[in-house]
């Protein structure tokens, strides 16, 4: 499609990222999808999205824990597309344990993937956006960018960092035609939270559904998980002209979790 915009969505082979990628593609946006998939599976996913939405889709297997792989991903994308117009930093991982028992390697991995990759990706994306005086950056943070929970020291630190870094990107580019916003979901039904449900189920001998209900209701007044596609709908609004004055914000989709 001529004059179509190009979006790079990190961690878009699953869950929220895939739903965001599909929403963007449904509007005629070309895509770079990324995630920890085998090349063959990644290319097959890119091909199926391309056929479904009639847009160009590249799969890039960059491991976001490595800054040089992020840089290479942007260089590869620039060879096919003129540059990235819409950057969605979505990839994320989780591990839960009290601070004194938290594995150091797991702490470092969460900071690298959930926080540092956001910095390296924005650094790589901004020059093209500044040059064309248009760009959209959407960082998928979490309610844990706004409030804390026990056993999530690395995740909470990373997500608070993402919310802060989003504000800096917004301030630095306030008059460049570029907006930077964070989305802060509460519980969303994706593979990321399966382990937490399994842990409750086995510790308390509950069914999966009972454990899921307990996980949600412990924090979130609306006892239902958000649909990943609805996060995608908010992304569509943020990339629209109507949102050109909205920048530096952190938008919860959290069933009133942070209203308490
Ligand atoms: P998910 O596990 O379904 O998907 C994560 C994606 O990130 C996958 O595509 C995976 O391949 C990719 N990824 C992981 N490590 C990577 C790495 N090193 N390099 C490249 N890609 C990597 O998770 P999700 O629930 O869709 O989470 C997406 C984002 O939403 C995360 O940032 C997460 O913190 C955030 N979030 C999720 C929830 C929730 O309840 N699911 C709530 C709030 C925020």
């Amino acid at each position: 499609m001529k004059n179509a915009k190009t979006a790079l969505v990190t961690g878009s082979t699953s869950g929220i990222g895939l739903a965001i990628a599909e929403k963007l593609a449904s509007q005629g946006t070309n895509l770079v999808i990324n995630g920890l998939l085998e090349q063959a599976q990644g290319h097959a996913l890119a091909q199926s999205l391309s056929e479904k939405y009639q847009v160009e889709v590249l799969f890039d297997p960059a491991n976001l824990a490595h800054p040089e792989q992020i840089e290479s991903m942007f260089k590869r994308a620039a060879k096919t597309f003129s540059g990235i117009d819409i950057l969605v930093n979505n990839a994320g991982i989780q591990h839960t344990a009290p601070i004194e028992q938290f594995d150091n390697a797991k702490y470092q991995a969460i900071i690298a993937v959930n926080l540092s990759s956001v910095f390296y990706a924005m650094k790589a994306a901004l020059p093209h956006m500044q040059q064309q005086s248009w760009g959209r950056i959407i960082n998928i943070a979490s309610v844990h960018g706004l409030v804390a929970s026990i056993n999530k020291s690395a995740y909470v630190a990373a997500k608070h960092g993402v919310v802060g870094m989003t504000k800096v990107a917004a301030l630095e580019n306030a008059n460049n035609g570029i907006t930077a916003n964070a989305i802060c979901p509460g519980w969303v039904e994706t593979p990321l939270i399966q382990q937490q449900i399994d842990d409750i189920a086995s510790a308390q001998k509950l069914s999966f559904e009972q454990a899921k209900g307990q996980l949600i209701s412990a924090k979130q007044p609306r006892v239902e998980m958000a649909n990943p596609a609805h996060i995608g709908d908010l992304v569509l609004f943020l990339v629209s002209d109507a949102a050109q004055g909205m920048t530096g914000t952190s938008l919860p989709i959290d069933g009133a979790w942070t209203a308490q």
Side-chain angles (χ1 to χ4, degrees), residues 47-209:
Q47 177 80 18
S48 74
L49 291 173
S50 176
E51 281 165 14
K52 185 169 174 190
Y53 297 106
Q54 297 296 300
V55 293
E56 272 193 78
V57 185
L58 287 187
F59 167 68
D60 198 298
N63 182 334
L64 304 172
H66 303 289
E68 67 285 358
Q69 293 193 28
I70 299 173
E71 211 174 303
S72 308
M73 172 168 67
F74 277 85
K75 285 191 179 139
R76 280 191 291 273
K79 284 190 186 149
T80 304
F81 304 109
S82 53
I84 299 303
D85 309 300
I86 299 164
L87 169 63
V88 183
N89 284 305
N90 164 80
I93 52 175
Q94 178 63 287
H95 175 71
T96 57
I99 292 173
E100 69 280 8
Q101 291 165 27
F102 212 100
D103 179 77
N104 287 354
K106 290 195 167 121
Y107 170 81
Q108 282 159 10
I110 290 177
I111 296 297
V113 176
N114 295 16
L115 176 60
S116 301
S117 79
V118 177
F119 168 77
Y120 293 114
M122 292 199 298
K123 186 174 176 181
L126 275 165
H128 169 76
M129 293 179 180
Q130 289 165 346
Q131 190 248 322
Q132 67 178 9
S133 299
W134 197 93
R136 292 285 188 269
I137 296 172
I138 294 133
N139 295 327
I140 307 304
S142 163
V143 284
H144 287 110
L146 305 170
V147 294
S149 293
I150 58 164
N151 298 335
K152 295 188 175 172
S153 50
Y155 190 84
V156 167
K159 295 299 189 182
H160 274 66
V162 169
V163 166
M165 207 188 301
T166 305
K167 293 178 186 173
V168 175
L171 288 171
E172 290 180 359
N173 293 284
N175 294 297
N176 290 341
I178 299 168
T179 68
N181 292 286
I183 296 178
C184 299
W187 294 119
V188 187
E189 183 113 44
T190 74
L192 185 89
I193 60 166
Q194 299 304 309
Q195 187 63 50
Q196 293 174 68
I197 299 172
D198 291 344
D199 289 349
I200 294 173
S202 73
Q204 299 183 34
K205 304 206 178 351
L206 299 175
S207 72
F208 185 82
E209 282 307 315

